[in-house]
Amino acid sequence: MVQLLVGTFGFFWLHTILWFFREYKERKAHAAEKRISSEALPANLKGKHVRRFSPIWRLAHITFALSLMILTLTGMPLFYPDAPWASTLMNLLGGPHVAGMIHRVNAVIFAGVFFWHLFYLIWGIAKDWENFKFFGPNSTIPNLQDGRDMIAMFKWFFGMGPRPKFDRWTYWEKFDYWAPFWGVTIIGVSGLVMWLPNFFGGFLPGWVFNVAAIFHGEEAFLAVVFLFTVHFFNNHFRPDKFPLEVVMFTGSFSMEEFKHEHALEYERLVKSGELEKYLVDPPSPGRMTASRILGFV
C-alpha cells in the first residue's frame, strides 16, 4: 500500500507541477490575447455549445461525489483517532454509532451508483454492439495512443514540442475513470468484511480483519487525496480552468473550449458531419451562476 501511495502521488504530483508551470508560463506570455479565440470557427458554430454529459451522467457524478465526501467526513476520524480534530468532528457527527450509520448508508449509495453505472454501460454497449469499438475514439479503454499522448505532453511540459491534440478522452481522464474500479473494489470488499464480521469470521482467519482495516483506510486515503489534488487540478485548478469548470453541472461547454481541449474530436466530427448532433444552446446566465455556486459548495 505504501508503494502504491508513493508511486501514484510521485508520478501525478510531478505531472501536476510540470503542467501548472508550463500552462502558467504560456498564459503569462499571451496575457494580452484571448485565451481561446472564436475567429477560426465557422459562423454557424459561433455562440454554440457542445453537449458533453447527459443529465443521467451528471446526476450519477454528483451522487458519487457527495457520497464520497460524506464517507470521507465520517471515516477519517477513525483513521486518525489521535488527531486533535478527530474527537470534535466525531461529536459533531453524533458519536461513533451515528457516524457509523451515516458512513454505511453512504457506502451503499456509493456502491449503488457504481453498479448502476456498470449496468447502464453494458446495456448501452449491447444495444449498439455492431458499432462498438473497444479502442475507438469514444472508448475509455486505454490504448497505445494514450501512451504517445502522455509522452508528447511531457515534451510540451519541457518546451520540446507542441501541446498534443486530444480526441474524446485524454489519458488522464481515462485514468480518472478506471482508478475507481480498483478503489471501489478494494474499499468495498474490505468495508464489507468489517461491516459483517460475524459472517466473514465464520470462514476467514482473524488476521483478515486487520488487513481489511489497513486496505480500507489507506486506499480511501489514496482516493481522497488524489481526488482533492490531482483530479481537482486537472479539472479546476490549472491556469486554463481556474477557478472552476462547470461542464459537469451544465452538461456542455462552448465550441471554442471544445475545439481547444479536444481538437481531434472536433476535426473528426466536422469531417463526418456529426457535429450538428451535439450542438446545443449555451446555458442561461442564471443556470451558469447556479452551476458555479453548486461547484464551489
Side-chain angles (χ1 to χ4, degrees), residues 11-12 15-16 19 23 140 142 146-147 149-150 152-154 156-157 163-180 226 230-236 238 241 260-262:
F11 176 82
F12 281 101
H15 187 276
T16 295
W19 192 353
E23 208 164 86
T140 55
D146 295 312
D149 287 343
M150 186 169 63
M153 196 74 165
F154 272 92
W156 174 67
F157 290 159
R163 181 173 180 160
K165 294 181 178 181
F166 298 104
D167 208 304
R168 177 70 175 88
W169 302 110
T170 62
Y171 65 86
W172 65 84
E173 287 172 332
K174 289 183 180 182
F175 185 89
D176 277 357
Y177 175 77
W178 285 103
F226 185 91
V230 180
H231 181 69
F232 271 31
F233 171 82
N234 292 347
N235 292 281
H236 304 294
R238 58 188 172 96
K241 297 289 186 180
H260 176 71
E261 293 285 336
H262 300 275

Side-chain angles (χ1 to χ4, degrees), residues 48 67 84-85 92 107 135 140 160 186 189 210 243 273:
K48 286 290 186 181
S67 61
W85 48 264
L92 289 173
F135 298 105
T140 55
M160 298 168 63
I186 297 296
V189 172
N210 294 336

Side-chain angles (χ1 to χ4, degrees), residues 71 78 96-112 115 184 186-204 208-213 216:
L71 286 167
L78 297 179
H97 180 70
V98 175
M101 290 286 290
I102 296 170
H103 193 81
R104 288 188 284 273
V105 167
N106 280 274
V108 172
I109 294 171
F110 188 77
F115 286 113
V184 170
I186 297 296
I187 294 172
V189 172
S190 59
L192 202 59
V193 167
M194 293 188 292
W195 188 359
L196 304 171
N198 293 334
F199 172 75
F200 288 101
F203 56 90
L204 292 176
V208 167
F209 296 95
N210 294 336
V211 173
H216 194 77

